[in-house]
C-alpha cells in the first residue's frame, strides 16, 4: 500500500478540497432569501451547461439518480403512452422496471453488453406509434456512449417525447439538450459534478412541464408540479440536501470559469491517457463507443474481473468499479471523473502491471 486511497469508481468520486471544505461547515437554515438566491443561480448555471432551452426549468430532488429516473418516468408517461426503452445494460433495465411498476406500455431495444445503437437498428422502430423514449446517454454498466444527435433526429421525425438520463455523461461528454431535442434531462450530483451523493436534477423543457402538469401522480414527494411551484422563489417543497446544493453552487462556478469545453477536454484527456497505456497489458475494452467518463475492461488472462477489483482494493488502496450480475467476472470499470490526474493514473497502471505480472 502506498499513499492515500484512490477512487476510480464512477461515483461517488474524489472531490476537490474546496468542495469538501463546504461539507465541514454547519448546515445553514435554507428558508431564507439568501439560499433562494443560491438556488436560482444553480438553476441558471445548470441550464447553461446542459444547453437547455431558455424557458426550461430545473427541479432539485433530494434522492439518488434512480430517484430522478423514477420522478421523470411517473411525471412524463401514463398508460396512454407507448414508450421505447433502450436497454444496453443494468441502467436501461432500470427504465424497464420503472415502466413495469407504473404500468406504462413499453417495448425495448435490447442490446448486447458494449453494443452501440445504430441508425439501422433505430429505424426499425420508426412509424410504430411510440409517444416516448427512455435512454441512458451513457450506459454506465458497460461504458457505451450513445449517439444523441442520431437519437434526437429519430425522436423529432417520429414526434416522440425524449427523456434522457445523462447522469454519468454530464461534464464528461458534451450534453446539448436543446440541440438534440431532449424533453427532460436527468442529472445527479456524484458523477463528473464531483459532489457527494444525495441530489438529482431534472431539467424540463416546455413539453416536459406540460406533461407533468397533466400527470396523475400518485405520490406526495415525487410530484414535479410542487417542485416547479416552489422553485419559482428558489425553494423546494421538502428539505433538500442543503450542503450539497451549496457545494453545487461553487462547483458550477468553477466549471464556468474554467470553460465547459475545457472541463470536458480535461476528462477526455485522462480517458485517452489511461486507454493508451492500458494497451500494453492483457485487457480489451468492452465497447468501441466509450464515454469519456469510464473505461470498461475485459481481462484476457482468464482471471475474474472481480479479482482485479478485490486485489486493487485490499493490496493497493485503490478502488475501481466492479460489475454485477452476468458481467461480474467478465468486466471491471475505471472511471475518469472527479479530482484525479495523470499521477494518480500512473499509480493505478503500475498496480495493474504488478497484478498481471504476478498472475492471478
Amino acid at each position: 500500500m502506498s499513499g492515500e486511497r484512490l477512487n476510480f469508481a464512477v461515483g461517488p468520486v474524489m472531490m476537490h478540497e474546496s468542495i469538501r471544505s463546504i461539507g465541514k461547515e454547519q448546515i445553514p437554515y435554507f428558508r431564507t432569501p439568501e439560499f433562494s438566491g443560491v438556488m436560482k443561480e444553480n438553476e441558471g448555471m445548470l441550464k447553461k451547461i446542459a444547453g437547455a432551452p431558455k424557458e426550461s426549468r430545473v427541479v432539485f430532488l433530494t434522492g439518488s439518480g434512480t430517484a430522478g429516473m423514477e420522478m421523470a418516468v411517473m411525471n412524463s408517461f401514463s398508460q396512454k403512452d407507448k414508450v421505447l426503452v433502450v436497454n444496453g445494460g443494468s441502467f436501461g433495465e432500470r427504465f424497464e422496471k420503472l415502466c413495469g411498476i407504473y404500468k406504462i406500455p413499453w417495448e425495448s431495444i435490447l442490446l448486447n453488453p458494449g453494443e452501440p445503437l445504430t441508425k439501422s437498428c433505430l429505424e426499425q422502430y420508426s412509424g410504430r406509434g411510440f409517444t416516448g423514449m427512455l435512454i441512458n446517454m451513457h450506459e454506465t454498466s458497460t461504458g457505451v456512449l450513445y449517439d444523441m444527435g442520431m437519437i434526437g433526429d429519430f425522436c423529432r421525425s417520429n414526434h416522440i417525447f425524449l427523456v434522457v438520463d445523462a447522469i454519468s455523461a454530464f461534464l464528461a461528454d458534451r450534453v446539448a439538450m436543446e440541440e438534440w431535442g431532449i424533453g427532460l434531462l436527468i442529472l445527479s450530483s456524484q458523477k463528473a459534478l464531483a459532489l457527494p451523493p444525495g441530489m438529482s436534477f431534472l431539467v424540463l423543457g416546455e413539453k416536459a412541464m406540460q406533461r407533468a402538469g397533466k400527470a396523475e401522480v400518485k405520490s406526495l414527494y415525487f410530484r414535479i408540479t410542487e417542485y416547479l411551484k416552489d422553485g419559482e422563489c428558489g425553494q423546494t417543497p421538502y428539505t433538500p440536501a442543503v450542503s450539497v446544493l451549496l457545494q453545487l453552487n461553487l462547483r458550477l462556478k468553477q466549471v464556468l470559469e474554467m470553460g465547459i469545453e475545457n472541463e470536458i477536454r480535461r476528462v477526455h484527456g485522462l480517458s485517452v491517457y489511461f486507454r493508451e497505456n492500458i494497451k500494453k497489458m492483457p485487457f480489451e475494452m468492452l465497447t468501441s463507443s466509450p464515454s469519456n467518463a469510464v473505461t470498461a475492461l475485459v481481462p484476457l488472462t482468464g482471471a475474474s474481473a472481480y479479482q482485479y477489483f478485490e486485489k486493487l482494493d485490499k493490496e493497493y488502496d485503490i478502488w475501481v468499479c466492479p460489475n454485477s450480475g452476468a458481467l461480474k467476472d467478465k468486466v471491471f470499470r475505471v472511471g475518469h471523473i472527479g479530482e484525479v490526474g495523470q499521477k494518480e493514473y500512473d499509480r493505478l497502471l503500475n498496480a495493474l502491471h504488478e497484478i498481471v505480472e504476478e498472475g492471478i
Side-chain angles (χ1 to χ4, degrees):
M1 298 185 184
S2 59
E4 69 169 336
R5 176 172 280 279
L6 296 179
N7 183 3
F8 294 98
V10 200
V13 298
M14 297 181 75
M15 299 183 294
H16 192 273
E17 176 57 35
S18 62
I19 300 297
R20 288 157 56 192
S21 65
I22 294 174
K24 298 175 186 177
E25 299 296 325
Q26 292 283 3
I27 298 173
Y29 183 58
F30 64 98
R31 301 292 191 199
T32 63
E34 291 77 17
F35 189 75
S36 292
V38 168
M39 291 291 282
K40 296 301 282 186
E41 276 189 340
N42 286 347
E43 181 174 41
M45 290 187 289
L46 276 173
K47 285 169 57 174
K48 183 173 183 178
I49 296 171
K54 185 179 179 180
E55 70 278 2
S56 60
R57 294 282 305 281
V58 179
V59 162
F60 295 87
L61 173 67
T62 302
S64 69
T66 302
M69 294 168 72
E70 184 157 10
M71 179 183 253
V73 169
M74 65 196 299
N75 284 269
S76 298
F77 302 116
S78 72
Q79 295 179 26
K80 297 176 183 177
D81 284 288
K82 183 182 177 184
V83 175
L84 185 61
V85 178
V86 177
N87 180 355
S90 59
F91 291 94
E93 184 182 2
R94 200 162 295 182
F95 271 137
E96 287 182 338
K97 289 179 179 177
L98 287 167
C99 287
I101 288 168
Y102 294 104
K103 302 189 187 316
I104 298 163
W106 90 91
E107 189 171 331
S108 289
I109 301 177
L110 207 56
L111 301 171
N112 294 319
E115 181 185 356
L117 178 63
T118 63
K119 188 174 182 179
S120 59
C121 175
L122 200 55
E123 284 176 347
Q124 298 174 43
Y125 298 87
S126 190
R128 289 178 49 186
F130 290 100
T131 58
M133 184 172 186
L134 291 165
I135 187 169
N136 317 94
M137 176 176 167
H138 169 218
E139 175 49 68
T140 322
S141 66
T142 63
V144 175
L145 181 73
Y146 297 120
D147 183 342
M148 291 308 306
M150 174 190 74
I151 291 159
D153 289 343
F154 167 81
C155 288
R156 279 196 188 97
S157 64
N158 284 276
H159 307 290
I160 290 172
F161 180 71
L162 176 60
V163 174
V164 176
D165 153 23
I167 289 170
S168 59
F170 187 64
L171 285 181
D173 303 290
R174 177 172 174 262
V175 175
M177 184 176 175
E178 185 170 25
E179 179 186 330
W180 296 336
I182 297 172
L184 195 158
L185 185 72
I186 309 163
L187 310 172
S188 197
S189 57
Q190 77 276 13
K191 305 292 186 181
L193 272 169
L195 304 174
M199 289 299 306
S200 293
F201 317 108
L202 280 68
V203 189
L204 291 85
E206 206 165 8
K207 289 181 181 178
M209 288 185 275
Q210 290 170 1
R211 281 180 169 262
K214 296 175 183 177
E216 296 180 9
V217 179
K218 295 181 180 179
S219 169
L220 176 69
Y221 194 74
F222 288 98
R223 198 183 300 267
I224 277 180
T225 52
E226 296 300 308
Y227 286 80
L228 293 175
K229 183 173 68 177
D230 281 40
E232 290 175 5
C233 59
Q235 288 290 327
T236 55
Y238 314 107
T239 305
V242 176
S243 290
V244 181
L245 291 167
L246 295 172
Q247 290 168 314
L248 174 69
N249 189 259
L250 176 59
R251 174 68 171 131
L252 295 176
K253 286 176 178 175
Q254 290 173 344
V255 169
L256 290 173
E257 184 178 349
M258 179 187 297
I260 302 165
E261 290 181 0
N262 289 333
E263 174 64 8
I264 294 170
R265 194 176 295 120
R266 181 188 72 84
V267 178
H268 173 69
L270 292 173
S271 70
V272 170
Y273 182 78
F274 177 76
R275 289 166 188 168
E276 285 300 313
N277 281 279
I278 205 71
K279 287 178 180 178
K280 304 167 188 174
M281 300 184 212
F283 302 100
E284 69 176 8
M285 289 177 58
L286 179 64
T287 181
S288 60
S289 304
S291 163
N292 292 326
V294 63
T295 300
L297 292 173
V298 179
L300 301 177
T301 58
S304 163
Y306 196 79
Q307 285 182 278
Y308 282 92
F309 162 72
E310 288 184 311
K311 205 164 182 68
L312 286 167
D313 176 21
K314 295 174 182 176
E315 297 182 21
Y316 293 90
D317 271 350
I318 295 173
W319 280 315
V320 293
C321 226
N323 265 54
S324 58
L327 295 181
K328 178 179 178 180
D329 293 316
K330 297 178 181 177
V331 179
F332 70 92
R333 295 163 292 155
V334 175
H336 310 300
I337 50 181
E339 189 64 19
V340 289
Q342 288 188 7
K343 180 179 73 172
E344 287 75 25
Y345 280 99
D346 286 341
R347 184 172 145 193
L348 171 60
L349 288 160
N350 289 336
L352 286 170
H353 179 73
E354 286 184 16
I355 294 169
V356 168
E357 287 295 303
E358 289 172 14
I360 60 172

